[in-house]
Amino acid sequence: MKELTGKRLLVLGGGLASYDVVKTAKAAGVYTIVADYYESGAAKEIAEEAITVSTVDIEALSKIVKDKKIDGVFCGPSEFNLLNALKLCKHAGLPFYATQEQWDQCSNKAVFKDLCRKYNVPCVPEYHITDKFLEEDLKKIVYPVMVKPVDSSSSRGISVCQNRKELIKAYREALKFSVQKQVIVEKYIANDIAFAARYLAYKGEIYLLLANDRYMVDPIGREALISGVAVYPSKLTKNYIESINENVRKMFKGIGLKDGAFFMQALIDPEDGQIYFHEMGLRLSGGLTYTITGPTTGINDMLMMIRLALGEELCTTEEISKVDPYLNGKVAISLCVPLRTGIIGSIEGVEECLSNLQLLDYIQYYHEGDEITPQKIGTLDQHFCRVKFLVDGYSEAAETINYIQNTITISDTNNKNMIFMKFDTDRLRP
């Protein structure tokens, strides 16, 4: 594998989403330049250069590419900025890991589900509904249903509806979060555990990198339909490999995907135990999987994608041979701490956790004085932090989770507890 030292990478987006891109690129000897409309941000603070320019201004960015002798363009797990990167790379003649057609097939939830049906990959059943709310369509619906935009991310615009009145209201709300002004209404699968599969494409072959189970924050009230804890590998990994994985591999070969990282998200129907996919991301996941696969298998998909952006090969045959969806027998946990609405007045226990635990990764999104607004509840912006660690089994995982939850305390300016809900570790039992 060729050295990246001296290569020049333009990173779109100066915030936390691009922080790990800059950090990983710099560690590999890459000269990083971050562009964003905002003057400051986590990624801008650690880059060699920071430029204030909108990431949608392709003409201005193209001039930067030329003037700064840029070798490649990339960003973090932001679909907005990745689409800008795709356009910029096409305009400037730089490499990008996907075509516009592939991007469109994967980023639109409805189109993705059509693709799944074509290749016999199970996906969540849906209903035909338009904003005219025709009686002939509405009378076919069996409640409850899930309503969501076809092209949003971070759990925005998603609602669970129990009746017609709620459906119509949620549909109109979901339209606000859809650029394409399209909404999906599908069967609501009432299970507090979701499933995700992460892949690498290398020279046209598709490799299952890892699968995980994701436990919802609020399994009873279902007020926060976001991840509380993710467990790697999934308990369903063996079953998935034997029953679904081959069709997924054929599907992505079928759309001509050659190199890159991507993931698929699914629900597990408690009625039949079946995995039903509902959306995907043709990108690295926001969960930063490399922090888990790196220490366990030596696979760093973040670094691989940076290589690809800089015109190098994704990886070597030796590296790809290390892919092991079972993590060499280890169990990895990603714990998120969700918050209630309010202004953060005090934070305690974080330093104690960092000192006493051997963590894979710790990301904190908020600090004292930051406000959690009602609009953030039920989205990924509700999380205070994400903590990752490795264990040998579920009992050790439960002990560590309980220690973290009992140690970290967050209060608002009125000294009231701001932690939305603690994770019940009994849910981890096999």
Side-chain angles (χ1 to χ4, degrees), residues 14 58 75 104 197 246 266 268 279 322 358:
I58 303 302
C75 67
D104 292 342
E246 188 56 35
I268 304 169
E279 63 181 291
K322 295 179 181 178
Q358 290 185 322

Side-chain angles (χ1 to χ4, degrees), residues 348-364:
E348 298 179 0
V350 170
E351 291 303 322
E352 182 179 335
C353 287
L354 295 177
S355 298
N356 295 343
L357 298 174
Q358 290 185 322
L359 301 178
L360 291 175
D361 193 34
Y362 174 80
I363 302 175
Q364 184 172 317

